[in-house]
Amino acid sequence: MQKQAKIIAALGLMGALFMGTGMTGTEAAAAPAAQTASADTQAAVPYVYTSKEYGYTINCPKKPNVVPAHLIYENKKGEVLVFDNEGYTIKNAWVIIKDAFEEKSMPDLNKINEEEAKKYCSALMASNGYEAIELISRTKKDKAIYAITAKEVEIDSNGDGKPDMTAKADTQMAVTFFRGNKGGRYSIQLIDNPDLRNSAIALFQKGVTTFKEK
C-alpha cells in the first residue's frame, strides 16, 4: 500500500501543471487540470539555464553544475544538470537527452485520441521498466509521455504479451519524452537519490513545462 500511495502522490503532483489522459498503472490518481508555466512556476524555478551546446532553455530551481550526458550515459547526447551531489554521487539532477527516441517510434502526441494514447502507453509500459505512465499536456501546444520507473517490474521484451524478464533498480526516476517546439526529440529525467521526494518531483514537473528549443 505504501508503494502504491507513493506513485499516486507522484502522479498526483501533476495536478497543478499537467492534463493527463491515457493513464496506465495507477488508475486511482485523479485526472488533473491543465496548466502551463505560471507566476508560481517561475518563482519555484527562477534560474533560466541556456544550453549553448544544444540550443534550449529550461527554468531550474538554482544554477546547476552541468555535466555532458555521454560521461554518464554511453552514446547519449545531452546534459546532466546537477543540483546536489556528494562527491561523485549525484543526489539530485535533471538529465536532458537529445535525440532520445527514433522519429518513427513515437506517434504525434498532439494528434492521437484518448484510446490511441491508452494503447500506446500500455505498450510502452509493457516493454519498459515503468510503474505508472500517462500522456500529459506539457504546455498548451505540446503533449508528452510522463512515467515513473519501477524498482522492480516484469517486462515483455519481445512483444509477445507475456513477461519474460524482471528489471530491478536501486532507485526510481520520473521520466518525460516529447517533441520540442521545433521538433527536437527530447527526454528529461529526474534523478533524486536515494528516494524520489515529492518536493523534487514538483520542481521537476515545473521545470519540464518551461523547456523551449531556441
Side-chain angles (χ1 to χ4, degrees):
M1 291 297 293
Q2 289 181 343
K3 186 176 183 182
Q4 184 183 33
K6 183 174 181 180
I7 298 302
I8 291 173
L11 287 171
L13 283 170
M14 290 187 289
L17 295 167
F18 297 141
M19 174 181 285
T21 59
M23 179 180 293
T24 300
T26 311
E27 299 294 336
Q35 179 75 356
T36 55
S38 62
D40 177 63
T41 298
Q42 301 301 325
V45 284
Y47 182 83
V48 180
Y49 171 71
T50 300
S51 173
K52 295 180 180 179
E53 178 73 18
Y54 294 101
Y56 66 81
T57 63
I58 188 170
N59 285 38
C60 303
K62 63 180 181 180
K63 183 177 181 179
N65 293 315
V66 182
V67 179
H70 69 82
L71 295 180
I72 301 175
Y73 302 95
E74 188 176 359
N75 299 323
K76 296 294 185 181
K77 295 193 298 182
E79 297 170 318
V80 181
L81 310 186
V82 181
F83 303 111
D84 188 17
N85 65 286
E86 194 171 286
Y88 291 106
T89 300
I90 295 176
K91 298 180 69 177
N92 180 261
W94 298 351
V95 182
I96 302 178
I97 302 296
K98 187 174 183 180
D99 298 336
F101 51 90
E102 295 295 327
E103 178 62 36
K104 295 182 179 180
S105 68
M106 181 182 287
D108 188 334
L109 300 178
N110 297 322
K111 294 181 179 179
I112 60 175
N113 60 38
E114 185 171 350
E115 186 61 32
E116 291 170 335
K118 286 182 178 180
K119 290 181 180 179
Y120 182 64
C121 287
S122 294
L124 285 179
M125 191 167 181
S127 58
N128 294 274
Y130 298 143
E131 194 160 276
I133 186 171
E134 84 175 304
L135 177 69
I136 54 91
S137 291
R138 188 182 68 86
T139 69
K140 288 182 178 180
K141 295 182 178 180
D142 297 312
K143 288 184 168 60
I145 295 296
Y146 180 92
I148 302 292
T149 65
K151 283 192 174 183
E152 182 173 337
V153 64
E154 292 185 333
I155 295 175
D156 172 16
S157 64
N158 57 16
D160 65 357
K162 298 179 181 179
D164 52 27
M165 62 181 294
T166 299
K168 295 182 179 181
D170 294 330
T171 60
Q172 291 178 285
M173 299 176 70
V175 182
T176 63
F177 293 93
F178 59 91
R179 290 183 176 87
N181 50 293
K182 293 188 176 180
R185 293 169 281 116
Y186 283 91
S187 174
I188 306 180
Q189 307 169 14
L190 168 64
I191 296 174
D192 196 46
N193 289 319
D195 295 299
L196 279 179
R197 297 167 297 159
N198 288 346
S199 58
I201 292 171
L203 290 173
F204 170 74
Q205 291 173 347
K206 290 176 179 179
V208 167
T209 67
T210 69
F211 179 93
K212 292 180 181 178
E213 292 178 284
K214 296 176 64 178

